[in-house]
Amino acid sequence: MKNLVIVESPAKAKTIEGFLGKDFTVKSSFGHIRDLPSKKLSVDVENNYAPDYVIPKDKESVVKELIKLSKSADLVWLASDEDREGEAISWHLKEALGLKEEKTRRIVFHEITKSAILNAVENPRTINTDLVNAQQARRILDRLVGYELSPVLWKKVKPNLSAGRVQSVSVRIIVERERQIESFQPNSAFRVLAYFNVDGMEVRAELSKRFDTIEETRAFIAGCENASFSVADLQKKPAKRTPAAPFTTSTLQQEASRKLGFGVTRTMRVAQDLYEQGSITYMRTDSVNLSDLALNAAKDEIVKLYGAEYAKTRKYSSKSKGAQEAHEAIRPTYMDKKEVKGDAAQQRLYDMIWKRTIASQMEDAKLERTTVNVSVSSSEIGFVAQGEVIVFEGFLKAYLEGTDDETEDTKGMLPNMTVGQDLDAAKVEGIERFSQPPARYTEASLVKKLEELGIGRPSTYAPTINTIISRNYVVKEGKEGVEREYGYILLDSNGIKEEVKTEITGAEKVKLFPTDIGKVVTDFLVENFTEILDYNFTAQVEKEFDEIADGQKEWTSMIDAFYKPFHKTTVHTAENAKKATGERLLGVDPKSGRNVYSRLGRFGPMVQIGEAENEEKPKFASIPAGKRMEEVTLEEALELFKLPREVGEFEGEKLTIGIGKYGPYVRHGKSYVSIGELDPMTITKEESITLIEDKRDELKKMMISEFKDGEDVVQVKNGRYGPYIAVGKKNYRIPKETEPESLTLADCKELIAKAPAKPKRGAVRKKK
DNA sequence: CAGTGAGCGAGCTTCCGCTTGACTT
């Protein structure tokens, strides 16, 4: 073998091999091949922050193979991405494979096209050490922050918690938004709308002023009863709309959320499938750039489908200077391929990517906006009607970007009108409208916010959200709204009618809410580690990483300047800060006269009667999930101390309701059943029995067949991962092609005998 | 699987960013 080329992704390796001919073997490193081990800090803070890199277990076989191949190659071409991380991957490869300088070439390309690859091979360079050092600084700063902050939380808040440059700011964003919503005081004002009949069309016009009070509104509408309306002014103005840029990871996640209802993890999973089948370009990118090849292909497609007047070649560039443009935007590999095979999710996502890319290369839409001012004889204030007509569709023929704003008015066409024309009002209505609190974040809108702040990377947006959810800092849930009254006045041919109507407000689809733990941790970190929780912290350190990459700054001195004061703060905080519990005094227990508190304990949110310092031991009770620690009242707290409570008997055994480690439960003899959404305070005997019977049914459904084998019981069961065989505490898999219902005892025993003797997962990890 | 919350102390937890499968029984 003459040449070994190493890229990051296996799908990319396959494509490139086709371009390079038989003298080249193309392999993939599967991303980073070395990292700091997770067990220890592995940064020598006494010795210029020397990192201790290791090859993780799951990369050992990759590295072994690459070493073997590189030994038999004349030249090794390191072709990882042209950004900070990519440069570091090349450097780690060179070190781990023991590559000699003279047989190593570093090449980069931004597009997976034959000419780009061949051009790269013609222009090799050496590894850029400054860029590598910028990556090391990034890696080590993140390790120092994460591994020194988290233990402070274990000590001051609760074990198993985590903190980091990206996740902690993400949680802060959610917490602060929730507090804005909690403290929001809505204002109300009265909108007045008039509906006119013009040539059989209804024209809706809004009064140019909103009234603060219902009295003013009432007076105005009363005046309209015998008034005449006429067109005072009419203006037409041309307007245009421009298509959105092609997709990046962030905008793809946002649009898939708005238009397809996908969560960010699902979007990335489906995009990965499309990438692996060769349908789209790489899905983790922050670039909006399209290759010349793609621009031309899009143009051809647009001319063919819509005509030449619809095509307009546009070059997009990223706003941020620091954008690491290692890839193209996300686009179809072949612009003339309008559909893909695959499941519905793949087809819908691909369709969206295709339309977005095509639209980005199309002409502006041309519109005509009409504004009509309507005067009222009874008032100085007039109405305004607005209409919008599309004169030339342009890119709208293919695609329109979605919007996060749910309240946007759609403007339609207006009939022809002339200045001075008298109008006939069918009705006039005054409606009380309330100002809206800021919107809670969805997964996708949080990604948008993080990207604006420059926090996180395309490859980490989805994992970051999963982290803050799995740490229980944030929950994804919906919320029911509450009824609210609003004033309403109607004037029509029957005269004036006034009423109080109701509407639902505050209802939410699935959104991100902070938990009590998320709030307590955020408050603690903001107070004690203000710098790191600052929204601009990442931007600040990114600037310094850029200076390291440009050779203007030495990486260890940058880390040192950060670490010295940071470390001092962690030590000081660990020694001096009070435990953060979010403690709140709820009132006094009327029975004992002792104080009642709500706070965060070692096992989560709880209520407490009495203080630990007193002679009499305090009493504790858990707050069930779904009830906010910050909202618990004295009455609710006292109720919680009534658990566990008996609700009756069933089959001769007591039914007891309690809250345990895994939430509220019904206990029946030795068996426990979770009570889920039901309220443990009010659940009845009948409901408890239903829960127990349901659980029995479910267990029955799980059981496919059962055999006696001497002492042992062999069961074929349906589990989370499909059917399996259970004997005692051990489980065995069933081959996919086997019908589990058809298994006999002999079949089961054969499968059990054939099962590979596997060491336990934990044991493997410990060996290292 | 279902009784904890103080403090003692064993040993454990933890970061971000680059990539995919392996595989849960």
Side-chain angles (χ1 to χ4, degrees), chain A residues 536-575:
Chain A
N536 291 315
F537 177 68
T538 290
Q540 200 57 50
V541 291
E542 279 290 342
K543 235 163 84 189
E544 299 190 66
F545 296 149
D546 285 346
E547 287 167 21
I548 295 167
D550 290 342
Q552 295 163 19
K553 203 170 216 166
E554 211 274 312
W555 79 268
T556 57
S557 56
M558 181 249 153
I559 294 291
D560 196 54
F562 164 76
Y563 181 73
K564 283 272 161 64
F566 168 69
H567 180 69
K568 232 168 112 179
T569 311
T570 59
V571 172
H572 181 263
T573 307
E575 280 172 4

Side-chain angles (χ1 to χ4, degrees), chain A residues 256-269:
Chain A
S257 166
R258 293 189 283 239
K259 288 197 166 166
L260 310 179
F262 288 2
V264 293
T265 303
R266 178 159 186 218
T267 298
M268 294 312 282
R269 178 68 252 165

Side-chain angles (χ1 to χ4, degrees), chain A residues 183-477:
Chain A
S183 65
F184 184 79
Q185 297 289 344
N187 287 320
S188 86
F190 287 81
R191 266 178 103 170
V192 181
L193 299 168
Y195 297 82
F196 303 105
N197 285 322
V198 183
D199 302 335
M201 275 177 80
E202 182 181 76
V203 175
R204 197 181 82 155
E206 179 170 355
L207 195 68
S208 61
K209 182 183 171 199
R210 290 189 182 194
F211 297 115
D212 291 336
T213 63
I214 195 161
E215 290 76 21
E216 291 170 275
T217 314
R218 194 182 291 140
F220 176 86
I221 291 179
C224 290
E225 194 163 10
N226 296 310
S228 58
F229 302 84
S230 66
V231 176
D233 187 31
L234 190 152
Q235 284 189 351
K236 291 189 177 180
K237 272 191 193 150
K240 64 170 189 178
R241 275 206 228 168
T242 309
F247 280 131
T248 60
T249 303
S250 153
T251 53
L252 179 71
Q253 289 173 349
Q254 289 161 45
E255 196 73 339
S257 166
R258 293 189 283 239
K259 288 197 166 166
L260 310 179
F262 288 2
V264 293
T265 303
R266 178 159 186 218
T267 298
M268 294 312 282
R269 178 68 252 165
V270 176
Q272 174 94 28
D273 292 339
L274 291 170
Y275 170 66
E276 283 172 12
Q277 71 190 41
S279 297
I280 61 169
T281 55
Y282 197 58
M283 64 283 158
R284 290 188 275 265
T285 176
D286 54 5
S287 170
V288 286
N289 185 50
L290 296 175
S291 71
D292 289 339
L293 207 74
L295 294 179
N296 288 330
K299 187 175 178 185
D300 289 350
E301 196 59 26
I302 294 161
V303 171
K304 200 173 82 196
L305 287 172
Y306 308 118
E309 70 274 26
Y310 282 90
K312 180 178 181 179
T313 300
R314 300 169 190 265
K315 283 252 180 194
Y316 295 89
S317 58
S318 307
K319 295 150 273 175
S320 52
K321 177 188 152 280
Q324 303 174 26
E325 307 228 333
H327 303 98
E328 275 189 77
I330 303 168
R331 64 163 172 90
T333 324
Y334 305 103
M335 294 307 308
D336 55 357
K337 192 166 121 185
K338 288 218 274 297
E339 280 163 8
V340 288
K341 297 203 179 79
D343 61 28
Q346 290 172 17
Q347 290 175 20
R348 292 172 76 200
L349 193 70
Y350 180 82
D351 182 61
M352 209 176 77
I353 294 169
W354 183 87
K355 285 177 173 162
R356 173 89 164 210
T357 312
I358 285 284
S360 80
Q361 297 304 315
M362 290 176 72
E363 258 298 353
D364 293 341
K366 294 183 178 63
L367 316 164
E368 189 180 74
R369 287 204 180 114
T370 307
T371 306
V372 179
N373 292 313
V374 178
S375 61
V376 195
S377 60
S378 59
S379 172
E380 294 285 297
I381 317 165
F383 289 88
V384 181
Q386 289 189 312
E388 200 172 83
V389 179
I390 294 173
V391 181
F392 175 70
E393 268 190 295
F395 77 94
L396 290 176
K397 224 173 165 83
Y399 174 89
L400 175 64
E401 187 178 35
T403 162
D404 287 330
D405 186 358
E406 293 150 12
T407 58
E408 198 176 300
D409 278 343
T410 44
K411 298 190 186 99
M413 219 169 74
L414 289 178
N416 275 324
M417 287 179 269
T418 50
V419 175
Q421 179 178 350
D422 286 333
L423 296 176
D424 168 31
K427 62 174 180 177
V428 178
E429 58 183 8
I431 309 169
E432 185 177 17
R433 296 283 74 187
F434 296 87
S435 55
Q436 294 296 317
R440 284 194 183 82
Y441 286 95
T442 62
E443 289 188 354
S445 67
L446 178 62
V447 167
K448 184 180 179 185
K449 179 72 178 174
L450 290 173
E451 190 190 31
E452 283 166 7
L453 294 169
I455 297 172
R457 302 282 313 135
S459 67
T460 62
Y461 294 137
T464 296
I465 290 175
N466 292 332
T467 298
I468 62 177
I469 290 173
S470 66
R471 291 262 174 272
N472 198 20
Y473 291 147
V474 165
V475 287
K476 227 170 26 171
E477 62 187 22

Side-chain angles (χ1 to χ4, degrees), chain A residues 584-624:
Chain A
R584 200 160 55 92
L585 179 63
L586 305 181
V588 176
D589 173 23
K591 268 194 216 144
S592 63
R594 304 167 78 192
N595 283 336
V596 181
Y597 303 91
S598 70
R599 68 179 181 90
L600 195 63
R602 264 209 296 158
F603 308 104
M606 60 178 226
V607 287
Q608 172 179 338
I609 298 181
E611 287 95 7
E613 297 79 35
N614 287 355
E615 280 194 20
E616 199 183 343
K617 203 174 175 262
K619 287 202 286 185
F620 306 104
S622 295
I623 299 175

